[in-house]
Amino acid sequence: MNTAKPPAIRIQGLRKSYKDLQVLKGVDLDVASGSIFALLGSNGAGKTTIVRILATLLKSDEGTASVNGYDVATEAAQVRESISLTGQFAAVDEILTGRENLVMIARLRRVEGPKQVADDLLERFGLTDAGARRVATYSGGMRRRLDIAMSLIGEPAVIFLDEPTTGLDPEARLEVWQVIQDLSDGGTTVLLTTQYLDEAEKLADGIAILHEGAIIVNGTLAQLRQLLPPAKAEYVERQPTLEEIFLSIVGKDKNGKTTANAKEAP
């Protein structure tokens, strides 16, 4: 008996054009349930177009796509109930407090106990102390964490994160990375579009590279590494990266946690 779970996302022969511009040229892609899958590509490669089709915001010209077992074209309502989409910029109301943002979304989605849901999410995302403050006072990382928390209301099976760390500073990026990892650990399937290669390397279980509307490489990081010649072992004096210097100075480790080693520049 085959007990393997079906893919959380399945794309076959997906095509999309805008007049004479071919954006997607027959994309095929499977994303395993509960995984973090990174879709890499430069601006204009077609990443956001794929996400918009999967989220039922855009219709493809050809091909099929399903999310959580539902066809995006013929079962759009069921797809929408299964997903959440977080765009490149945090969609939060700056006039409201963090807690009020969460309560509002919970009520709009008709979730039982909206106030308790809000409090639970504030605690889960490390925002309890800031919950009563207006979002206008939040840092970029805090806004993004709140944005992702809002997207989880209703417990979607699949979440799309479209360039989630664009414009964030190094500390905020680490905060968001930890949130994404926690989502996957909890069983949520995450489709992550990004231009940052280190982001995919850090987080992704599977990686696909989209170039000029087509998937040119698809596999795990280990499989992608096999495409290049083996590395030669040489002694090199390694200097700290700028990211490591920055995090050391501000007293953070690579996971965004506070350390006791904060240093001051001479």
Side-chain angles (χ1 to χ4, degrees), residues 104-138:
M104 175 182 66
I105 296 300
R107 286 176 173 163
L108 288 172
R109 295 184 179 175
R110 299 179 181 178
V111 174
E112 293 185 6
K115 293 182 180 179
Q116 185 60 52
V117 169
D119 289 340
D120 290 345
L121 285 168
L122 287 171
E123 181 177 1
R124 177 178 174 183
F125 285 84
L127 294 169
T128 298
D129 292 341
R133 284 167 39 198
R134 289 176 57 188
V135 174
T137 68
Y138 283 19

Side-chain angles (χ1 to χ4, degrees), residues 187-220:
T188 303
T189 303
V190 179
L191 177 62
L192 168 73
T193 73
T194 182
Q195 299 180 61
Y196 301 126
L197 303 186
D198 59 334
E199 192 159 271
E201 187 171 359
K202 173 73 174 178
L203 296 171
D205 302 303
I207 300 169
I209 298 177
L210 185 68
H211 182 65
E212 295 181 352
I215 300 290
I216 57 173
V217 176
N218 184 2
T220 65

Side-chain angles (χ1 to χ4, degrees), residues 11-29 44-47 49-50 53 60-64 209-216:
I11 300 172
Q12 295 178 307
L14 208 61
R15 294 180 179 273
K16 182 65 181 177
S17 297
Y18 297 101
K19 295 184 178 179
D20 295 331
L21 176 63
Q22 280 189 300
V23 179
L24 301 179
K25 304 174 183 178
V27 173
D28 297 307
L29 188 65
K47 303 188 303 297
T49 298
I50 290 176
I53 291 172
S60 64
D61 298 332
E62 295 181 32
T64 62
I209 298 177
L210 185 68
H211 182 65
E212 295 181 352
I215 300 290
I216 57 173

Side-chain angles (χ1 to χ4, degrees), residues 30-184:
D30 282 354
V31 176
S33 179
S35 69
I36 301 174
F37 194 94
L39 187 58
L40 305 180
S42 56
N43 284 333
K47 303 188 303 297
T48 298
T49 298
I50 290 176
V51 170
R52 287 175 61 81
I53 291 172
L54 293 174
T56 75
L57 299 175
L58 188 66
K59 291 185 178 181
S60 64
D61 298 332
E62 295 181 32
T64 62
S66 64
V67 178
N68 201 32
Y70 299 110
D71 187 278
V72 299
T74 62
E75 299 173 296
Q78 292 92 328
V79 170
R80 293 187 191 113
E81 291 176 358
S82 303
I83 68 170
S84 192
L85 169 62
T86 299
Q88 295 182 20
F89 304 99
V92 293
D93 190 321
E94 295 187 352
I95 297 175
L96 301 179
T97 67
R99 188 171 187 270
E100 287 170 342
N101 268 277
L102 291 165
V103 169
M104 175 182 66
I105 296 300
R107 286 176 173 163
L108 288 172
R109 295 184 179 175
R110 299 179 181 178
V111 174
E112 293 185 6
K115 293 182 180 179
Q116 185 60 52
V117 169
D119 289 340
D120 290 345
L121 285 168
L122 287 171
E123 181 177 1
R124 177 178 174 183
F125 285 84
L127 294 169
T128 298
D129 292 341
R133 284 167 39 198
R134 289 176 57 188
V135 174
T137 68
Y138 283 19
S139 68
M142 292 169 68
R143 292 187 192 200
R144 179 53 86 184
R145 277 186 284 152
L146 177 63
D147 191 30
I148 296 175
M150 290 164 62
S151 72
L152 292 182
I153 293 174
E155 300 182 348
V158 179
I159 182 169
F160 302 115
L161 299 178
D162 191 13
E163 308 278 1
T165 60
T166 296
L168 297 184
D169 62 40
E171 286 182 88
R173 288 184 74 205
L174 291 176
E175 291 174 4
V176 174
W177 286 2
Q178 187 60 54
V179 167
I180 294 171
Q181 187 61 63
D182 290 344
L183 290 177
S184 178

Side-chain angles (χ1 to χ4, degrees), residues 191-256:
L191 177 62
L192 168 73
T193 73
T194 182
Q195 299 180 61
Y196 301 126
L197 303 186
D198 59 334
E199 192 159 271
E201 187 171 359
K202 173 73 174 178
L203 296 171
D205 302 303
I207 300 169
I209 298 177
L210 185 68
H211 182 65
E212 295 181 352
I215 300 290
I216 57 173
V217 176
N218 184 2
T220 65
L221 179 59
Q223 290 170 335
L224 267 58
R225 281 176 170 157
Q226 291 177 0
L227 299 176
L228 298 179
K232 295 181 179 179
E234 296 180 356
Y235 174 79
V236 177
E237 183 178 347
R238 181 182 179 276
Q239 297 296 324
T241 66
L242 183 58
E243 180 183 54
E244 290 170 337
I245 295 169
F246 175 87
L247 293 172
S248 176
I249 290 173
V250 300
K252 299 277 185 177
D253 62 18
K254 283 196 170 184
N255 293 318

